Structure formats: C-alpha cells, structure tokens
Amino acid sequence: MEMTLQQPFYKRLAAGDWLFAALIIAAAGYSFSLYGSAMDYYEQLILAGSSVSLIALGWFWKSWRWFFPLAGAMSLLAIQLYDHDLARAGQSFGLKFLLSSQTAFMWMCTLFYLATVVYWGGLIARSALLARIGSGLTWSAAAFALSGLFTRWYESYLIAPDVGRIPVSNLYEVFILFCLITALMYLYYEAKFATRQLGAFVLLVISAAVGFILWYTFDRQAHQIQPLIPALQSWWMKIHVPANFVGYGAFSLSAMLGVAQLLARRGILADKLPKPEVIDEMMYKAISVGFLFFTIATILGAMWAADAWGGYWSWDPKETWALIVWLNYAAWLHVRLVKGWRGEPLAWWAVIGLLVTTFAFIGVNMFLTGLHSYGSL
Amino acid sequence: MTSKKRTSPGYQLYELFSSMRFAIGLLTILAIASVIGTVLKQNEPYPNYAFEFGPFWFKAFELLGLYDVYHSAWFLTILAFLVTSTTLCIVRNGPGFLHEMRAYREKASDNSLAAMKHSRELDIALDEAGAITLLQQRGMRYRRRERDDGSVVLAAKKGAANKLGYFFAHIALVVICIGGLMDGNLPLKLGELFGKIVPETRDLPQSQIPAQSRLTAANLSFRGNVTVAENKSADVIFLNSGNGYLVQELPFIVTLKKFHVDYYSNGMPKLFASDIVVTDKHSGKETPATVKVNHPLIVDGVAIYQASFGDGGSPLQLRAWNLAAPQQAPVDIKGVSLAAQPLKANGKDYQLEFGELRVFNVENMGKGPDGSKSLGQRMQDAREVKQDNKQLKNVGPSITFKLRDSQGQAREFQQYMSPMQQDGAMYQIAGVRSEVSQPFQYLRIPLDDDMKIDSFMRLRAALNNPAWYQEMAQRTADKALQGKAISPAMKQQFADSVRWVLGRFSAGGFAALEQFLDEKVPADKRQAIAQTYIKILQGAIVDVMAVAQDKAGLKPWPQDEKHYRFLLDSLVTVSSFNDYVAPVYLELTGFDQVQASGLQMTRSPGKNLVYLGSLLLVIGIILMFYIREVRMWLVLRPGRVRVAMSSNRHNHDLDRDFAQIVATPQGGGGEA
Ligand code: HEM
C-alpha cells in the first residue's frame, strides 16, 4: 500500500505559483505607488481584495497563471500604444488591427466562431488534434475578451475623466463578460475532466451570445461608451455584476452539458462523447458553482438596492426573476442531493433552467419594465 | 416514538410539511407565483388597471390581489408555508445530522464494511502506527476500537462541517424571511383588515387628512415618499396603499435647501443631489447633509434617499397677447408653476392652471442608427472607439398650462422659452392639444431680428384689420402694374381680388380658401385657381407688412431673402393659429426657478436580520458544497487490511481518493 503523503497546502505550491504571486503583488504595489494617493478607502480595499483573489485563482487553477498575465500584458501594450490619446485608436497599427477594445472584441467574436467549427470537426472526426486546436482558439478568444475589457476601461477615461468607469454596466459589455466567463469555466472543466469533446456544445451557447453582440454592434451601435447615470455610480456594481455573470455562465454551461448528456444517453454521438456519468458530474459541478455565485450576487444586489432604491428588496422584475432562477436551481440541487436523482431528468431540468436564466438575463430587459435601468433593447 | 403516534393526523401533517416533496412543491409554486407580479405592472394607480381590463376583470384581479401580488394574503401564505416547512425540516433532520456529525461508526461490522461501494481487503501488513499516520496525514480524526477477535478498527472521518452547512443555510432562510416580514407591511394590512387604518383616496391637503389614515412616528417600519420644494419643509411622508395612500409622521423635519443636477458633456445626467437639513422634533438638533443617488443619509434609523426631482412651484413672468383683439398691446402677467389662477379675457372668465416648469429639456437631436450605411461603413464603425453619438441637446425651458373655460372645458398648451433654430431660421415653439392622450401639435412662430415675436404679431394684427385692406390691395396692384403682370384695365378687379383673398385668409387661413374652392369652383379648375390665390397672398403679404410697419411708425421691412422668408413662414403660422383656439397667446418671458426634490424614506429594522441571514446562507452553501464529508475505516489484521470509504456525495473524487489509497506497489493484491 502506497502511503501517498498528502502534503500541507503551502508545500504543494510550486515555484511557478510563487512567481505568479510575486508578479501580482508587484503589479498591485506598482499601481498603488502610482494611484494610491487618488484612491479612497474602498478602492484600496478593492485593490487588496482583487490581488488576493487573483493569487488564489492562480494557485487553484494553474492555467490562470499564464492566462491572466498574458491578457494583462496585451492591455498594457494597448495602453502604451494609446499614449493618452484616443485618436491613436485609428492611427496606430497595433491598436487598429489588434488591441483597441473594439478590435479585440471583433477578434474574440471571430475566434469563438472558429473554435466552434473546429471543436465540432474534432468531435465528428474524433480528432484529438482538432479538439486541441479548438481549445487553443477558445483560450485566445478569452484572452482578447479580457484584454479588450481592460483596454475599454482605460479608453473610457480617455474619452473624458468623468466618463471613465468599469466596463460592466450595459448590456453590450456584460455580454462580452458572459462569453469570457462561460469560456473560462468551460476551459477549467475541460482540463479537470480531461475531455475536450464537450467544447462543441458549450461553444454553441457562446456563439449565440457572439451573434447577439455582432447584431447589437452593427445594427444598434451599442458598442459606444456611455457615461454612468447616477443610479449606476456605485462600487457595488463592480462586484454585483461579475458575480452574477459567473452564475449565468455556469448555468448556461450546465445546460449545454445537459444537451450533450441527453444525446449521449440516447446513443447519438455516444461513441464520440464522454460517458454520460462524467458529463453528469460536470453538470452538477457547474451548477453548484453557479448557485454559490448567484446567491452571492443576489445578496450583493440587495445590498446595493438598499443604498440606491431605499430598500433591499423591491420585487422589481429583474430581482424577482433572479429569485425565480435561484429557486429553480435550489430545487434542482435538492432533488439531486437529497432525493438522489441522476441522469436524464436532471439533464432536462438543466436545459429548461437555461430558458429561465435567459429570460432573467435578457428577457426581462426586453419585455418588462422596472428599476433596473441599464440596457433595454 | 410509538406507532400510534406516527399514524396520528398531526404527525402525518408534520411529516408532509417537513418532507422534501412538499418543499420542492413550495419552491416551484413560489417561483410561478412570483412570475405574475413581473408580468403585470404592480402598484399602478387603479384607474389605469380599470381602463386596461374593463370593469369585470378589474374587479376580479383586484379581489385576487394581483395589483400588489407580493403583499397579497395568498402570497404571504406561501412564504409562511415555506418558513414552516424549512423549520420543520431542520427540526426533523437536525438531531440525526447532529448525531452523525459526532459519530465515528466504529462499530460497523465486517459485513457492512464489505458491502460498501468503496471497500477492499488488501494483503499487506500495516501496523497500527502506520495506519494512524496515514489517517492523520489526510487530516482525518479517528476513533480506535478493538474487537473481540483481536482485530483493530480505526474509524476516521473529516469534513463534518458539511453537515453544519445544512444548519447554516436552512436556518439562514428562516432568518431572512423573518427579517423580511418585519419590514413588510403586514401590520398595516392587518390594521386595514380590522378597519383601524383606512387609506385616503381623495386628494386633500396634508393637514386635513383624517387620523384613520395617519401613522405615528412610532411605526416600526415604513417606506414612503415626499416631495419638498426648495426652502420648504416636510415632516410626513406618503405611503402607497392599494387604491389610496397613508400619511406617515416622521420624528424629524426635513428642509430642502437646494437641489442640484449635473450633466455630462453629452447631456446625460451625472448627478442628482439634495442639500437638506434634518431637524429633530424633540431635541431641535439640526443635521445638515447632502443626499445623492446611492448615498443616503441615515437619521434616527430612518434612511433618506434621493428618489426623484421636479419643479417646486416657480414664479413665472409671461406676456399675454390677446388673440381675438390682435391690435391690443400685449400685457405682462405673473404666475406660479404648479398653481392655478383666474384669467379674464374678452369678458370671459377662465382658469389658468400651470403645469411643471422644466428648465432643461434634453432632446435627442441625432438621427439614430442609420439604416442606409453600407456594411463596410458598419464594420468600420464597429471597430471605432468613441463615445455614443446621441446628440443630446438642451432646448431650454418650457412650461405647460391649461386654460379652462367656465364650462370646465380645457385645452392644454406648451410653451418653449428659448428661440429654436429650424431649417436655418429662428422660431418660438408653442404646442397645443385638446386631450391629454394626444400628442402636442406645434406652431412655429418666426422671430424677427430682435429675436421677438412682436413683428409676427404686428403682421397678424394687420392681416386681421379690414380697415387697412384698401391700402394694402392698392400697393399690391400698383406693384403688379409696374411689373406688367396685369394691364391697367384689370387693376381695379385685381385689387378687389387681393382684398377678397386677404379677408378670406384672415378669417380662416388656407383652410378657408380651400373650402371656398371646394364649394364654388368646378373640380378641374381648382388647382389653377388655388395657385393664383397663393401667388396673390405671397405678393400681398409684403404690402401687408409694409402697411403694418408704416402705421406703427417703424422703418420699412427689409426686402431681402431672409425677411421674405419670415413673411412666408408667417403666412403658414397665421393660418395654423386657427387651430390654436385660445383667447390669449401666453409667451414665457422669465422665471425664478424653485426646484423640488423627491425623497424616499424608509425604516427597516429587519434589514440587519436579512443581512445576517444572507451571511449564514453563503457560509452554509460553501460548507455544503466545498467541504467534502469523507469517512474511512481501516480494519487491521495481521497481514491483511480492509479499507472502506464512504461519503455523503458519491462522486468522482471519492473514486479517485479510494483508488489512490488502495493502489499498491504490487499491483493491487486485494479483493472486495
Ligand atoms: C427556500 C428553501 C430552501 C433552499 C433555498 C434550500 C437550499 C439548500 C441548498 C443550497 C442545499 C445544498 C445542497 C448541497 O448540499 O449541495 C440544501 C440541502 C438540503 N436541503 Fe434545503 N433548502 C430549502 C428548503 C429545504 C427544506 C424545506 C427542506 C426540508 C425538506 C430542505 C432539506 C434539505 C436537505 C435534507 C439538504 C441536504 C443536506 C445534506 O445532505 O448535507 N431544504 N438546501
């Protein structure tokens, strides 16, 4: 019997982990030395908090250790190229064709579509090589999305100092956030479960979001940067919105895994897909992460509402639909964990859950009116 | 528990309420019920619903409480069931879970261990010390038991906090619901049910509202609004209640000093803020503060929020032009927005009711998304980084007012103060409508070189003065003769036509001429004659203006394209004035803005409970999801070890751990 030693946590950290931590701390320290005097107490807290979370994420998920610095470097390069002048977006080659936020987002869209096609090719042809290329494309798309968001943040300050704001405050920006988060979560599970066949399914929902982004850009010019109306000028927004999108991303991911599982159980593509039990497990993992973040996001939303609207709960349509989504997945988790359901019924339920989530995400903005003021279509 | 007790109806009810089946059912029903309130707009004024649904369905929906679903009795009942069910669930599962958290199950028999899914007997020698190290390295706590047959059982576990998570998360829900209930309006509903509280439905001055519609400052929780004008105070707020409202007394007086709005350079609002002073009713202590959106002020447990803003009743200066007697000079009058005053015109009594003064009217002057752009252009746009292209522009102050005659009939008017440029010329814009549901119809009054409407009014007065027609027609005819447009023989006849056209036009504008054509002229000639009339008018208007200037002792009207365009525009506007239908034209000439701020005030003692519950909930969920409860048994016999593992979550991780533990260098010599 092998007595595999389970080492204490800190001993399991490799040199790479420490290097990454040092990098993040150096970057945070540098920002602090530059802007510390302009930061209020909350902002200093946020800087410290985000450094810690970034390090934790890097230790927990090894790929983050190169992904985050890469995206960071891309946006730093973009900032360098801008050189405090927004007009350079159209003059500098690097910005115009690669790194300005809008160009980065267009690259993201293209790469996600390519990844979808390649993943499907890999699935049908059972080609491990194609599947690996699919992963690579998804990683690159995610890198463009993250660096694009960072760059857009900087660009908003170039437009006018009072326009500057974090890019998570209208429907266009959160769709990009959605694509980014869903892709990253999928990539995490792909590595963890050592299966690349499911990318074909997950990328479908991302492609749909990309389709929306393209329509929204070309037809509605929604990509233009607008300043924040007073209701959105709150630091709660900075954490409420991203937390919500981890939830939405995870639920969408689980729905697509549900589709894959249903097909596999019916013998369609069964020889090409992983075992249904494996997909089932991934689906559960995704929903449990999503549920946790969605709970946190809803609570943060309530705390924000208490500051902005005078009450932590106003039964505003968006709030109410968040509750519906939450109740739906609470019920899902109960039947799985307490009643022991597995397989097909839960897969169906996860797919239907996507409809509920989608309605809460965009349906409410399209069909219902309420206090949530950003992004009506 | 005796079997008799287990079959009693009470116990069966307990069992049902605490069952998973019932809980899932409740979650589903609650979700579906919540949808209703998002589909039907909540807490609208009742007449809106009556209008939308018709009398029958309006009543039916009212009975079902659909206009305020989330406070209706049936919705609260569902919530109450959920709280009960969760509580009973904790009561029922709690003891078992607590026991399990403590237990090591060291008494497990060989058979039951062998029957576990993850269980294997290995042919290796492992001494007790080695086994204990193994357990400790995995962070497991264990209990040792020596069996009668000499074998040693080490029963180990970790992750008991997982079960603690169950308590945290489910108690959290009960806590949140209790907090929510404290802040809900249940006491008010009960008061209304027993007739102690009666919402007021009439529009009364605050001081006259009867006691049955008033709530004292001792009221534990409330959420309401009040609008305060600058330099005015309020010591009550108004709570919506069904079809009416209630008055909530405050423990303090709020005085609004000043209200601020700031805009971004593109015209979007940037800041709404009120400078207020809060004076305590008992101690007289004054607290000055600024409340902004997202930055409330908390005094005495009452939070004060910036909710809305508007006009607070601003003194106005207006100039009244008598439309029926255009020769009269205009009169300056005073008024106050949001107030009514009598107005006498041409011997008739009117009521002049001012609406809101709006100092900023930000309009989108951009063309919106352009459908005609080529794909290439759109691609180009999509890559561009820029601020949004909405051309938000402030077109300046406006006032609305109604003129009500003695029969109670009213027309509504809208008046913009600043000159507006349209198609290259300057105008004053005035709107009118006879019904609130209709859009305004706008007049554009051309402005003269001094940016005033005086020249237009002078022209209109001249057009309405038949005594001058002779002279005007004479001038027009002379001009026509000079230009050889007519022969000398025709001069008198031409002058008569001019007079006739002027008379007809001043009586009813273009419509009157058209009506004449329709009635008196054969269809095939109408087009040509209409052209002639227009030509005559366009020629004569120059002379009308000339006469008007002359008689007023002013210098002649310049003869250039810009001033000719003024005259042509005036023709159109004079004609449109026939649809204005008002005794006077009221021009807004000045104002002293007094703003008002809409403040929302809430007292919510349950908030801290809700936050506490939320914290417990998050901790609970983390414990349940991310602390894995794992148990392991090692049964040590000389040369043999049984390893068994279990977890309350059967997944992958357990398979992996088990495989790792039983992996032996000899290639797994055991059997299950
Ligand atoms: C609004 C109502 C409720 C919510 C949001 C809720 C939420 C949750 C959550 C998030 C879990 C965690 C699932 C997991 O372990 O991964 C859970 C587990 C559980 N819930 Fe609920 N719950 C609710 C009501 C109830 C009720 C009424 C019962 C009683 C029948 C109940 C019984 C349980 C049990 C037995 C577990 C499993 C605990 C374990 O095995 O560790 N829940 N609940």
Side-chain angles (χ1 to χ4, degrees), chain A residues 1-2 5 102 155 162 218 223-225 228 230-231 233 281 304 306 308-310 312 314-315 321 334 368, chain B residues 20 38 70 124 137 183 223 264 270 294 305 378 381-382 385-388 600 602 611 626 651-652 663:
Chain A
M1 179 159 177
E2 191 196 359
L5 251 180
Q102 275 313 115
E155 286 162 357
D162 66 353
F218 289 144
H223 58 286
Q224 287 150 354
I225 298 177
L228 282 186
Q233 294 164 6
E281 174 106 10
W304 181 7
W309 302 334
Y312 50 84
S314 312
W315 295 103
W321 273 94
H334 276 97
L368 309 174
Chain B
M20 201 66 239
T38 66
Y70 307 114
I124 54 164
Q137 276 168 349
D183 292 342
R223 181 169 179 181
Y264 291 105
K270 178 175 172 182
N294 273 315
Y305 298 87
R378 283 164 193 251
D381 283 353
V385 181
K386 60 181 176 193
Q387 195 168 9
D388 73 304
Q600 183 175 89
T602 62
Y611 287 177
Y626 297 106
N651 55 29
H652 207 73

Side-chain angles (χ1 to χ4, degrees), chain B residues 122-161:
Chain B
L122 304 173
D123 295 326
I124 54 164
L126 180 66
D127 63 3
E128 204 175 316
I132 289 174
T133 322
L134 172 77
L135 294 175
Q136 283 172 340
Q137 276 168 349
R138 307 201 138 247
M140 300 182 100
R141 294 195 296 157
Y142 69 96
R143 187 166 283 175
R144 177 179 183 278
R145 177 169 168 261
E146 235 181 275
R147 287 190 183 143
D148 295 342
D149 65 359
S151 57
V152 171
V153 182
L154 295 174
K157 62 169 183 158
K158 73 170 176 187

